[in-house]
Amino acid sequence: MAREESTRTTTPTERQAPAAPAAARTPGATPGTTAGTAAKHAPRAWATRLVVVGIVLAALNLRPAITSLGALLEEVRDGLGMSGGVAGLLTSVPPLCFAVFGVMAPRLARRFGPAAVVCAGMAAIGAGLLIRPYAGGTAGFLAASALALMGIAVSNVLMPVIVKRWFPDRVGSMTGLYSMALALGTSTAAAATVPLTDALGGDWQPGLAVWAALALAAVLPWLPLVRDRGPAPAATPEAVRQDREPAEGEASASGASVSGTLAAGRPAPALRITRSRTAWALAVFFGLQATAAYITMGWMAQIFRDAGVSAGTAGLLLAVTMVMGVPLAFVIPRVATRLPHQGPIVLVLGLCGLAGYAGLYFAPSGGSWAWAILLGVSNCAFPLALTMVGMRARTGAGVAQLSAFAQSTGYLISIPGPLLVGVLNQSSGGWGLPIALMSGLMIPQMVVGWLAGRDRTVEEEAAR
């Protein structure tokens, strides 16, 4: 147990870091601090605040491309002449793009810096959302959607990396803030897309294009940071030492940066991540929770509409599902970092999902608000998975590699789910078989989530 404690990632929500000396807390105004050191740390406060704003705005843009489409899926299908199978393919495009483009994120971050990649990602989201309603035809719609989703993919992977880099002593709280903003953007797009479409004349094209403005606004806070490639200025030496404390007898990696370099300038050796059973469990857990999330975002509004619920109310129900993540995405990471094993949280979320699917099957319209709430709680497996990414690796370089592996592999796993739901719905003429599929996938999600929540790190397992 002592060895596990020494090798596991530590966050301040678990154990408060020692108070930093005055020199670290207030640059430039302390005994023993040179003028050069004060000048070096002077930009820390404004840069850190800018990163917080950038993280929040970026997170707000990571799901509206998907949930705005889910709210208007029937109108888009009619407008573009899509079959049920093609619509299922459309709902499978997000995880496909996340898997293909997400794996590129660490390499791009090493070359250009994480902030520059996220900035470019926000610009890609804005361009894709602006183009896709007017691209003409299904192929153009898919291509423009892929552009937006490429920006989302690289930002998805790099958000845990940026949190670990700039806030190594606040991983739980910053992951909660990021996840809360993500849930807020998701739910807002689900609830507001139909009313915005009506206000803009009832045409689905401007109703989808309007979300490009939010993405373009998110570019602004990242622009002053695009040249940043160095160590995290927000990390005090004490926090860095605590967050990256090596086990006895191991080489110190306390100077490792997210870009994968040591303080001495030598490249950090890449982990053999595929040798880690925890990494595989986390990747499968990520994939199964993503399957449930993208089925929900792509199809749940349509399930309610086919049960007799109006389009506006169905959009609100989807928004309720998404908005549950706003408070819970802040609470769950903080609770998770205080527990030695995150498995119990996985089980609670899974049971809520099973109850919600049962309600959709037996009384989709009668208890619609209750099922929306239960499925919203279940979808909070996403911030839990992000938190575990930060906890299952000791160093920033390890988090970057684990984040890319878990998210890319997980999104590959999630690709068939939304497509299969569309095919099953079209072939059976109802939602019974798709809901049975969703319920069946929740069981292995609970199993692998329990395994991923065990108190260990990928560095330990990859070295065996």
Side-chain angles (χ1 to χ4, degrees):
M1 181 64 189
R3 187 179 186 277
E4 289 180 352
E5 185 67 26
S6 68
T7 57
R8 188 164 63 85
T9 302
T10 305
T11 65
T13 52
E14 299 171 293
R15 186 180 302 115
Q16 292 294 326
R25 295 194 305 268
T26 311
T30 60
T33 301
T34 66
T37 302
K40 178 181 178 181
H41 289 287
R44 177 186 300 164
W46 72 262
T48 302
R49 286 194 291 268
L50 201 60
V51 171
V52 172
V53 173
I55 287 173
V56 171
L57 284 177
L60 287 172
N61 281 281
L62 295 182
R63 294 299 179 269
I66 303 165
T67 51
S68 62
L69 177 60
L72 294 175
L73 184 59
E74 184 172 317
E75 288 75 10
V76 174
R77 286 175 61 178
D78 293 341
L80 298 178
M82 290 183 184
S83 66
V86 174
L89 175 63
L90 184 60
T91 58
S92 293
V93 168
L96 174 62
C97 290
F98 294 167
V100 171
F101 298 119
V103 75
M104 300 163 49
R107 182 177 299 178
L108 292 171
R110 285 194 296 271
R111 181 167 182 179
F112 301 106
V117 177
V118 173
C119 184
M122 294 298 108
I125 295 170
L129 293 184
L130 190 60
I131 293 169
R132 75 173 180 178
Y134 306 103
T138 301
F141 191 94
L142 289 172
S145 295
L147 175 62
L149 293 166
M150 176 179 66
I152 296 173
V154 295
S155 302
N156 266 336
V157 171
L158 292 180
M159 281 297 107
V161 175
I162 288 172
V163 167
K164 183 78 168 184
R165 175 177 176 176
W166 284 81
F167 308 97
D169 54 343
R170 286 180 282 165
V171 171
S173 59
M174 289 305 300
T175 300
L177 177 65
Y178 153 70
S179 302
M180 187 169 63
L182 187 149
L184 181 61
T186 306
S187 58
T188 300
T193 297
V194 172
L196 279 173
T197 301
D198 293 340
L200 293 171
D203 191 348
W204 61 268
Q205 292 172 311
L208 291 183
V210 70
W211 296 104
L214 182 62
L216 295 175
V219 172
L220 300 178
W222 294 102
L223 287 174
L225 302 167
V226 294
R227 294 181 180 274
D228 170 60
R229 301 185 191 180
T236 63
E238 290 79 4
V240 172
R241 280 197 297 272
Q242 184 190 32
D243 187 57
R244 298 170 181 165
E245 186 71 28
E248 184 178 356
E250 293 180 344
S252 174
S254 63
S257 74
V258 165
S259 61
T261 58
L262 297 177
R266 294 179 287 108
L271 293 172
R272 295 181 179 179
I273 198 77
T274 54
R275 297 179 61 178
S276 168
R277 285 177 290 184
T278 297
W280 278 109
L282 189 52
V284 177
F285 175 67
F286 199 98
L288 292 175
Q289 68 81 27
T291 300
Y294 289 108
I295 289 173
T296 299
M297 286 186 280
W299 291 109
M300 197 179 85
Q302 193 62 49
I303 292 174
F304 285 127
R305 291 179 71 170
D306 288 349
V309 177
S310 68
T313 302
L316 285 176
L317 288 167
L318 178 59
V320 166
T321 299
M322 300 298 111
V323 83
M324 291 303 299
V326 175
L328 292 179
F330 189 74
V331 171
I332 287 175
R334 296 174 68 88
V335 173
T337 54
R338 286 178 164 87
L339 296 177
H341 194 314
Q342 290 73 49
I345 304 178
V346 172
L347 295 183
V348 170
L349 299 181
L351 291 173
C352 288
L354 289 174
Y357 291 140
L360 280 183
Y361 184 87
F362 290 108
S365 59
S368 56
W369 296 99
W371 319 142
I373 290 171
L374 286 169
L375 291 174
V377 174
S378 179
N379 279 348
C380 288
F382 175 72
L384 177 61
L386 289 181
T387 305
M388 289 196 288
V389 166
M391 296 179 69
R392 297 288 90 88
R394 287 200 311 270
T395 67
V399 171
Q401 197 171 344
L402 178 58
S403 180
F405 175 76
Q407 293 201 44
S408 296
T409 305
Y411 285 127
L412 278 174
I413 292 171
S414 70
I415 290 170
L419 175 60
L420 188 54
V421 165
V423 172
L424 289 175
N425 171 247
Q426 187 172 28
S427 63
S428 66
W431 292 104
L433 287 178
I435 292 172
L437 172 67
M438 300 177 216
S439 302
L441 292 176
M442 189 59 67
I443 304 301
Q445 177 180 322
M446 295 163 70
V447 173
V448 294
W450 181 273
L451 296 176
R454 294 175 298 174
D455 185 10
R456 56 197 65 194
T457 64
V458 293
E459 286 90 349
E460 289 179 290
E461 296 181 339
R464 291 173 186 170

